């Protein structure tokens, strides 16, 4: 479970996240939606301790990220797939992450197979396509077999096969009882993937609701645009 409580982040005069509270529950895919600059990535970064809140807190399994013992075993995250050492080979990258979290070497190999990268495991990351890098990022997120998974724009740049693969993966992880939190701008994709939705604009909560409620009278895109019109940058 992820609990965000009165979370606030200011960068100078910019309030990126403004007294935001919501809960992401296990067993569901929860979509995190909002216009550009709404504070989605900043919120995700604070959940995994990459940014320090100005106020409030974000808890994973009841604890702040920095208080988790072996954090990769609690929460896996795909933030920026480009934020890896490009000179490193795919398998070495995963082994290094595994070693730093007390995870066996075998798991790295198994996961590369699972995400379809077995054949390129000795290639340097810079030689991988965007979709392959995205899959490698997913493998890294799954490494510690965590109960909580967060994906920031996971289908960016993926081909239709990759998009479906990510969708099936996220739905499967939720079916296993995990907490899956995913940001996206693609409403049609979110409508197929998410069970629950958290919508933010200008750092504030706009709506937290089951997908079913939001799409009862039309498309997710219509409902989203109604709720956020005029609240972008
Ligand atoms: N490191 C930073 N320094 C200064 N301002 C920042 C920083 N990171 C984010 N911001 C600002 O905080 C606000 C929220 O940005 P954030 O990236 O969290 O939004 P987002 O919802 O993820 O947007 P997008 O959908 O465009 O990715 C924006 O105004 C952004 O310019």
């Amino acid at each position: 479970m992820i609990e965000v409580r009165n979370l606030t982040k200011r960068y100078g005069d910019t309030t990126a996240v403004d007294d935001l509270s919501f809960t992401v529950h296990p067993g569901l895919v929860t979509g995190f939606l909002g216009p550009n600059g709404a504070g989605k990535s900043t919120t995700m970064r604070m959940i995994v301790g990459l940014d320090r809140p100005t106020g409030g807190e974000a808890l994973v399994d009841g604890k702040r990220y920095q208080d988790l013992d072996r954090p990769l075993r609690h929460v896996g995250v795909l933030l920026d797939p480009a934020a890896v050492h490009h000179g490193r080979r795919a398998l070495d990258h995963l082994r290094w992450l595994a070693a730093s979290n007390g995870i066996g070497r075998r798991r790295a190999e198994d996961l590369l197979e699972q995400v379809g990268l077995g054949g390129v495991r000795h290639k340097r990351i810079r030689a991988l396509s965007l979709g392959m890098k995205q899959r490698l990022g997913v493998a890294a997120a799954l490494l510690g077999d965590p109960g909580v998974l967060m994906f920031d724009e996971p289908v960016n740049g993926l081909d239709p096969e990759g998009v479906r693969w990510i969708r099936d993966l996220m739905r499967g992880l939720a079916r296993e009882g995990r907490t899956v939190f995913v940001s996206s701008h693609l409403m049609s994709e979110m409508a197929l993937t998410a069970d629950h939705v958290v919508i933010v604009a200008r750092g504030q909560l706009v709506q937290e609701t089951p997908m079913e409620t939001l799409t009862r009278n039309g498309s997710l895109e219509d409902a989203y645009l109604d709720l956020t019109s005029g609240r972008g940058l």
Side-chain angles (χ1 to χ4, degrees):
M1 183 187 289
I2 303 171
E3 294 159 274
V4 167
R5 295 184 185 154
N6 306 106
L7 199 62
T8 298
K9 179 69 185 180
R10 287 190 206 95
Y11 296 105
D13 291 343
T14 306
T15 303
V17 176
D18 190 1
D19 198 24
L20 186 60
S21 299
F22 60 85
T23 303
V24 188
H25 296 278
L28 302 174
V29 176
T30 299
F32 194 23
L33 316 180
N36 288 132
K40 302 179 296 297
S41 298
T42 305
T43 300
M44 287 181 153
R45 290 171 59 81
M46 286 192 282
I47 293 170
V48 290
L50 289 170
D51 251 332
R52 183 196 285 263
T54 311
E57 60 183 3
L59 305 177
V60 173
D61 295 340
K63 289 186 178 172
R64 291 183 313 159
Y65 184 85
Q66 46 271 45
D67 297 330
L68 291 170
D69 181 37
R70 300 195 186 275
L72 281 198
R73 292 181 180 274
H74 289 270
V75 52
V77 59
L78 174 74
L79 283 177
D80 180 0
V84 292
H85 190 315
H86 282 81
R88 206 171 261 158
R89 295 173 203 280
L91 180 58
D92 292 341
H93 170 65
L94 283 193
R95 279 188 174 156
W96 169 79
L97 274 177
S100 56
N101 276 266
I103 298 162
R105 286 166 72 85
R106 184 72 223 166
R107 173 100 181 131
E109 300 223 26
D110 291 348
L111 266 173
L112 275 186
E113 289 293 338
Q114 195 183 320
V115 302
L117 294 180
V120 296
R121 62 186 190 277
H122 296 306
K123 275 202 172 182
R124 294 192 196 278
I125 294 173
R126 75 163 70 87
L128 302 182
S129 72
L130 177 61
M132 288 174 177
K133 282 183 197 149
Q134 207 79 324
R135 285 173 187 251
L136 183 62
V138 169
L142 295 174
L143 205 53
D145 198 18
V148 176
L149 286 138
M150 280 202 322
F151 301 99
D152 194 6
E153 302 278 358
V155 299
N156 255 4
L158 291 190
D159 61 16
E161 191 199 337
V163 170
R164 178 172 287 186
W165 178 75
I166 290 268
R167 185 196 310 149
D168 291 346
L169 177 88
M170 290 194 293
R171 298 215 48 81
L173 291 166
R175 258 199 315 276
E176 290 169 6
R178 299 176 210 253
T179 303
V180 182
F181 192 39
V182 52
S183 78
S184 181
H185 288 297
L186 302 174
M187 294 302 131
S188 52
E189 187 49 37
M190 275 293 101
L192 291 173
T193 310
D195 308 289
H196 203 86
V197 198
V198 173
I199 302 179
V200 289
R202 294 183 182 157
Q204 298 177 339
L205 186 70
V206 173
Q207 185 80 267
E208 179 183 2
T209 184
M211 177 69 79
E212 214 172 80
T213 312
L214 210 53
T215 55
R216 195 166 287 152
N217 300 313
S219 71
L220 174 62
E221 184 181 66
D222 286 343
Y224 168 83
L225 289 174
D226 277 350
L227 287 164
T228 58
S229 68
R231 304 183 70 167
L233 290 173

